[in-house]
Amino acid sequence: MSPEDLRHGDAGLQPERTSLAWLRTGSVLGAVVLGFMRFVPGPGAVVATIGLVCLVPVLAVLLASRTGHRARVRGLIAGRAPYFWWRNVAVTVTVVVLAISSAVLILLAP
């Protein structure tokens, strides 16, 4: 796909806004994971393991942003909107795991 293929007639730049929103979401979630690894008390190995596991979906969202943007542009040109459900699931599961892990580790901290 060449850059010429990424042109579309949407003056509101909907694919670009959506792609930037996903980049912001992935970046903020990555910062939250790093904050979890830095500030949540508990055994270092447990906190590091949970944090590193939670970074996997963050990296997947960030790395898939380019292909997702291209798919959104192609979908806009074709008249159908692609839906990337796995991103919503990945972000939701990551947030839930971080919240539950934080609560448990804080409650068990001496």
Side-chain angles (χ1 to χ4, degrees):
M1 178 177 261
S2 70
E4 298 293 323
D5 296 334
L6 291 176
R7 292 187 181 169
H8 55 83
D10 184 12
L13 300 176
Q14 186 269 336
E16 286 77 7
R17 289 194 319 258
T18 303
S19 298
L20 290 173
W22 276 109
L23 280 174
R24 284 191 301 268
T25 300
S27 300
V28 169
L29 188 56
V32 169
V33 171
L34 294 177
F36 169 86
M37 294 173 74
R38 173 66 179 94
F39 296 112
V40 171
V46 173
V47 173
T49 301
I50 294 170
L52 291 175
V53 168
C54 287
L55 279 178
V56 172
V58 170
L59 292 175
V61 167
L62 291 175
L63 294 176
S65 64
R66 183 179 180 133
T67 57
H69 176 71
R70 289 176 182 234
R72 274 187 289 281
V73 171
R74 282 193 306 265
L76 184 67
I77 292 171
R80 63 181 190 285
Y83 181 64
F84 302 102
W85 59 269
W86 66 268
R87 292 181 185 180
N88 297 338
V89 172
V91 169
T92 302
V93 168
T94 302
V95 169
V96 168
V97 166
L98 287 174
I100 292 173
S101 300
S102 297
V104 168
L105 289 170
I106 289 172
L107 289 174
L108 294 178

